[in-house]
């Protein structure tokens, strides 16, 4: 009966440089994710405070952006876990955008809801692509290490 293989040593993403193409994809998806998240935060605040608030003078619905502020540091620090859970969190805001695009009586509210939908889709795609690229690179590194070892 063969012995189980020893676990591979964990390698840091910073210890092994990525190929240039992977570096570009990771940098691009990171920029898209951070940019679209920041844009969602700004849009949510502007929408509920000045552009098309539910009540004149703004509403407490502006607090909906608080959950979006939390992952900003994790995205900037390239934490894989943050990219994963943001790709799930964003669907709440996507759903809000769809509902408000369908039901809002103000034309400006419908336009803002459409922008929110686009930003949510962009954020989701950026996060999913980022995670996929980094996981594929990690798998390639493990395969290379097992072949060399």
């Amino acid at each position: 009966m063969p012995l189980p293989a020893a676990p591979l040593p964990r390698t840091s993403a910073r210890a092994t440089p990525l190929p240039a193409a992977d570096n570009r994809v990771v940098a691009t998806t990171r920029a898209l994710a951070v940019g679209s998240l920041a844009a969602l935060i700004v849009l949510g605040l502007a929408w509920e405070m000045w552009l098309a608030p539910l009540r004149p003078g703004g509403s407490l619905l502006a607090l909906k952006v608080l959950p979006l502020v939390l992952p900003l540091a994790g995205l900037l620090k390239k934490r894989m876990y943050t990219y994963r859970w943001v790709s799930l969190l964003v669907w709440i805001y996507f759903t809000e955008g769809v509902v408000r695009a369908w039901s809002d009586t103000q034309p400006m509210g419908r336009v803002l809801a459409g922008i929110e939908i686009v930003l949510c889709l962009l954020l989701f795609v950026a996060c999913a692509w980022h995670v996929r690229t980094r996981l594929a690179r990690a798998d390639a590194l493990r395969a290379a290490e097992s072949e060399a070892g």
Side-chain angles (χ1 to χ4, degrees):
M1 177 179 215
L3 294 173
L8 292 175
R10 297 190 97 199
T11 57
S12 165
R14 294 179 185 169
T16 307
L18 294 171
D22 284 350
N23 278 337
R24 282 191 296 272
V25 170
V26 168
T28 301
T29 55
R30 179 175 173 242
L32 284 173
V34 170
S36 57
L37 182 64
L40 271 173
I41 293 167
V42 170
L43 175 71
L45 284 175
W47 184 353
E48 300 303 338
M49 297 305 290
W50 305 287
L51 298 176
L54 292 177
R55 294 192 176 109
S59 72
L60 287 177
L61 199 54
L63 295 175
K64 71 182 180 187
V65 301
L66 287 179
L68 293 173
V69 175
L70 297 175
L72 201 52
L75 293 184
L76 290 171
K77 292 179 182 178
K78 304 176 189 175
R79 292 188 176 148
M80 180 78 86
Y81 181 75
T82 306
Y83 282 89
R84 287 178 171 172
W85 70 263
V86 166
S87 69
L88 299 174
L89 174 72
V90 72
W91 291 111
I92 296 169
Y93 294 89
F94 175 83
T95 303
E96 183 216 12
V98 169
V99 168
R100 291 187 73 174
W102 184 261
S103 64
D104 206 334
T105 57
Q106 300 177 27
M108 180 62 137
R110 289 184 179 165
V111 169
L112 296 171
I115 294 169
E116 182 178 34
I117 291 167
V118 169
L119 288 173
C120 287
L121 291 173
L122 183 61
L123 179 57
F124 174 77
V125 168
C127 286
W129 195 1
H130 185 89
V131 168
R132 184 179 178 126
T133 302
R134 286 182 57 189
L135 287 177
R137 179 61 184 149
D139 288 345
L141 285 173
R142 278 192 213 102
E145 287 175 353
S146 66
E147 288 175 7

